[in-house]
Amino acid sequence: MDQFIINLIFVGGSFALYIGIAIWARAGTTSDFYAASRGVNPVVNGAATAADWMSAASFISMAGLIAAVGYGNSTFLMGWTGGYVLLAMLLAPYLRKFGRFTVPDFIGDRFYSQTARVVAVISLLVMSITYVIGQMTGAGVAFSRFLEVDNTTGLFIASGVVFCYAVLGGMKGITYTQLAQYCVLIVAYTIPAVFISLQLTGNPIPQLGLFSTHTGSGEPLLQTLNSVLMDLGFNDYTGNHGSTFNMVLFTMSLMIGTAGLPHVIIRFFTVPRVADARTSAGWALVFIALLYTVAPAVGAMARLNIITTLWPQGIEGEPLAFENKPDWMLNWERTGLLRFEDKNGDGLIQYYNEANPPARAIEEGWEGNEMVLFNNDILVLANPEIAQLPGWVIGLIAAGGLAAALSTAAGLLLAISSAISHDLIKSVINPAISEKGELLAARISMAFAIALATYLGLNPPGFAAQVVALAFGLAAASLFPAIMMGIFSKKMNSTGAIVGMLVGLLSTVLYIFTYLGWFFIPGTNMLPNTQDNWILGISPLSFGTVGAILNFAAAYITLALTKEAPAEIQELVESIRVPKGAGAAVDH
């Protein structure tokens, strides 16, 4: 059967399932739309949370970034998983006990201020829209290859599918859709990894295969990869070749950014009791680990497969000829995300690090690296083709990649729409709005958010995982400190929280836009995004940690100059933190 038909069967079947679930679980009330009427089973919510959290960045982009750099990009793994533990242990149960629908709802009530609510809404919108750009970027990459269209068309198709099931179903529909999407994405990620691990090491468990013997060389797989990379002038795969300071800041930014993600936090508002929020968080961590422990193996094995494809006889032998390029290269070249150029006209593909060329490159006068473009976001999706796996595996990973991108996009869009309709319109602008009017406003705002994310996704400021990292930095600098102080600092007042959020958000946005362009528009950056231009060597991806520190500092300095929170608010905070009676969470 033709591969395109196989892709259509897998992708079309999964989409039919998602949209069918959205219709079956169509939201009829605002409680359905925002929190699935607080009736979701903890295990189901754990799987839905895992799908919501494991976005295109996790499924499509993370392994590609690890493959490109090696140990240096393990920060994505450490930061995201560490942050989820922080969220599950420190924040989720307390927020569920407070009993609100959204993060701005919590901040507005806890800090007894409509201004605090509005600032939280603005922070949420900036962070979430940035995050959605990454999801749309990943979905566009997946659609472009597997439906054999260009990247822009793929992005428009992704937007249409998200619109159908997110706008229809709300949280109720999204929850059960995400359960299905988790099943699709974890099977799609794991099966190719098992096949590839068997091919390269004879070990069917990818996590163990990464540290097993490479059957082709008889040496450990990572040692083999290090050798071939260094032969081509690249850094060794297992060493750290970047700034340790930046690595620490970036990891911390991802951690505290994870703990401040509004679209993940609202998932814990869907379970019946506080105890269920803890159980749900534990199950989500298990479901997340199933993918995150496989990702390093996927990255390393794919990098080795690509090199051996381009250098089938090693660097001493003849490289791959242009006319002998395998089908997977031809397929991805059509998307515009992979490109080769015969710089010296010899009909062979010389792939090496031209900044540190091997001796042969100098001796033979090579003109430069001839794989001139390899978009890191294609690696996981191309992996089954690179390893020459069966067509059904390729179709499966197509469905999985799209499930990962669309599940998180839907969660983010729900967070955006609820912030506008519930926290802005219902709570601030028009408290008398009817439930039907609020539901309509939520759906309209979600449609506008999809349109904006699609437009920005046409020119993303980086690969999917890098765009998502920016969003985590924004969450770290704005929402995380306010949530932490709202739970653990009973004296923190509204003025301190507002000043802190504004300082954290504005400083981080300004720093990011300085290097990546105003509102991510190409050509509008004030300084080149290079290490020698960064302040104290801090990357825009890592600045969220600095923004969070500034947020906390500004909040506590303001608190010292103003009156502490009223007594009734301090009593409220104490009641949130007391475990006794936690089974009966406050309802909205």
Side-chain angles (χ1 to χ4, degrees):
M1 187 183 293
D2 181 70
Q3 185 61 54
F4 180 70
I5 301 300
I6 295 173
N7 293 344
L8 282 181
I9 291 171
F10 276 89
V11 174
S14 62
F15 284 178
L17 175 63
Y18 306 151
I19 294 172
I21 291 173
I23 293 171
W24 164 74
R26 181 182 174 90
T29 66
T30 52
S31 182
D32 278 346
F33 194 89
Y34 295 136
S37 295
R38 304 197 193 278
V40 180
N41 178 277
V43 179
V44 171
N45 194 55
T49 303
D52 200 358
W53 186 71
M54 290 191 299
S55 61
S58 295
F59 188 101
I60 294 175
S61 194
M62 180 175 63
L65 288 172
I66 293 172
V69 175
Y71 173 76
N73 271 350
S74 63
T75 47
F76 287 96
L77 284 169
M78 295 185 291
W80 281 335
T81 49
Y84 184 80
V85 174
L86 185 66
L87 169 62
M89 298 294 292
L90 282 184
L91 303 184
Y94 303 109
L95 290 171
R96 175 63 190 93
K97 190 176 183 186
F98 198 85
R100 294 296 181 263
F101 283 146
T102 66
V103 170
D105 223 3
F106 166 79
I107 290 175
D109 285 3
R110 159 59 184 89
F111 293 110
Y112 52 96
S113 167
Q114 293 291 54
T115 303
R117 187 189 302 273
V118 171
V119 173
V121 168
I122 293 169
S123 300
L124 184 150
L125 293 176
V126 172
M127 187 285 300
S128 298
I129 290 170
T130 304
Y131 203 151
V132 173
I133 298 170
Q135 306 318 301
M136 291 306 185
T137 301
V141 169
F143 272 115
S144 65
R145 164 63 189 93
F146 295 111
L147 295 184
E148 299 182 10
V149 295
D150 62 67
N151 195 42
T152 300
T153 304
L155 187 60
F156 288 133
I157 295 171
S159 302
V161 173
V162 171
F163 178 85
C164 286
Y165 76 79
V167 174
L168 271 178
M171 179 60 84
K172 187 176 180 183
I174 286 171
T175 295
Y176 294 102
T177 302
Q178 287 176 336
L179 171 62
Q181 286 168 328
Y182 177 79
C183 296
V184 171
L185 73 87
I186 197 64
V187 171
Y189 203 85
T190 305
I191 288 179
V194 169
F195 274 108
I196 295 167
S197 182
L198 272 170
Q199 284 181 351
L200 293 180
T201 68
N203 193 320
I205 304 173
Q207 295 94 325
L208 300 178
L210 179 63
F211 304 102
S212 298
T213 301
H214 180 236
T215 52
S217 64
E219 297 179 341
L221 184 134
L222 287 174
Q223 184 177 323
T224 302
L225 181 55
N226 277 341
S227 297
V228 297
L229 284 172
M230 293 174 73
D231 285 345
L232 295 171
F234 295 102
N235 290 322
D236 63 293
Y237 194 78
T238 54
N240 179 26
H241 303 283
S243 162
T244 303
F245 174 63
N246 228 353
M247 191 176 188
V248 171
L249 285 182
F250 183 53
T251 304
M252 182 62 70
S253 179
L254 293 180
M255 283 183 66
I256 61 178
T258 297
L261 290 178
H263 72 291
V264 175
I265 290 172
I266 61 175
R267 289 235 54 91
F268 295 104
F269 301 158
T270 65
V271 293
R273 301 176 302 135
V274 173
D276 294 330
R278 293 190 178 94
T279 303
S280 178
W283 276 107
L285 196 56
V286 171
F287 292 132
I288 288 166
L290 293 178
L291 187 145
Y292 266 58
T293 55
V294 174
V298 170
M301 293 174 185
R303 185 77 186 274
L304 184 58
N305 270 333
I306 291 169
I307 294 173
T308 52
T309 298
L310 294 170
W311 291 97
Q313 300 162 351
I315 192 171
E316 300 81 12
E318 190 173 84
L320 180 72
F322 274 83
E323 63 182 21
N324 294 332
K325 284 188 294 187
D327 288 343
W328 73 266
M329 289 184 178
L330 299 174
N331 292 334
W332 282 101
E333 279 185 288
R334 283 193 285 269
T335 69
L337 300 171
L338 176 67
R339 191 168 73 250
F340 296 91
E341 182 183 331
D342 192 359
K343 295 180 178 179
N344 59 1
D346 65 353
L348 303 174
I349 302 173
Q350 281 91 29
Y351 167 68
Y352 64 102
N353 181 11
E354 57 189 55
N356 180 33
R360 182 180 173 185
I362 299 171
E363 292 167 5
E364 299 185 13
W366 294 348
E367 297 295 326
N369 174 34
E370 295 181 339
M371 186 165 72
V372 295
L373 173 64
F374 186 96
N375 187 301
N376 290 327
D377 286 349
I378 76 174
L379 185 132
V380 169
L381 300 174
N383 223 3
E385 297 174 276
I386 296 171
Q388 299 179 334
L389 299 182
W392 66 268
V393 180
I394 297 170
L396 183 63
I397 205 161
L402 293 169
L406 300 180
S407 63
T408 302
L412 286 163
L413 291 166
L414 183 67
I416 292 169
S417 68
S418 59
I420 294 172
S421 62
H422 181 73
D423 298 309
L424 204 56
I425 297 175
K426 171 74 172 176
S427 300
V428 179
I429 299 172
N430 182 16
I433 190 173
S434 67
E435 184 170 293
K436 184 177 179 181
E438 186 181 350
L439 198 55
L440 178 62
R443 287 181 165 136
I444 292 172
S445 58
M446 188 180 284
F448 274 108
I450 293 171
L452 178 61
T454 303
Y455 171 75
L456 294 172
L458 294 172
N459 291 290
F463 301 120
Q466 292 171 322
V467 180
V468 168
L470 292 174
F472 277 64
L474 291 166
S478 57
L479 295 176
F480 172 76
I483 296 170
M484 282 291 290
M485 291 183 292
I487 296 171
F488 296 104
S489 178
K490 66 181 184 179
K491 293 183 180 181
M492 180 54 64
N493 59 22
S494 59
T495 309
I498 293 166
V499 171
M501 282 191 287
L502 288 173
V503 168
L505 177 65
L506 293 175
S507 61
T508 305
V509 166
L510 180 61
Y511 195 83
I512 289 172
F513 286 172
T514 297
Y515 299 101
L516 297 178
W518 289 94
F519 304 101
F520 303 126
I521 297 172
T524 61
N525 54 305
M526 293 177 285
L527 291 171
N529 187 24
T530 55
Q531 188 167 355
D532 55 329
N533 285 307
W534 298 339
I535 298 174
L536 301 177
I538 301 172
S539 161
L541 295 176
S542 307
F543 195 80
T545 302
V546 179
I549 293 170
L550 294 175
N551 186 326
F552 278 117
Y556 279 103
I557 290 171
T558 303
L559 175 62
L561 300 174
T562 53
K563 290 182 178 180
E564 62 186 40
E568 63 270 19
I569 295 296
Q570 296 193 37
E571 290 173 9
L572 174 64
V573 174
E574 286 283 6
S575 70
I576 297 170
R577 298 195 316 224
V578 175
K580 187 176 180 181
V586 179
D587 202 357
H588 183 81

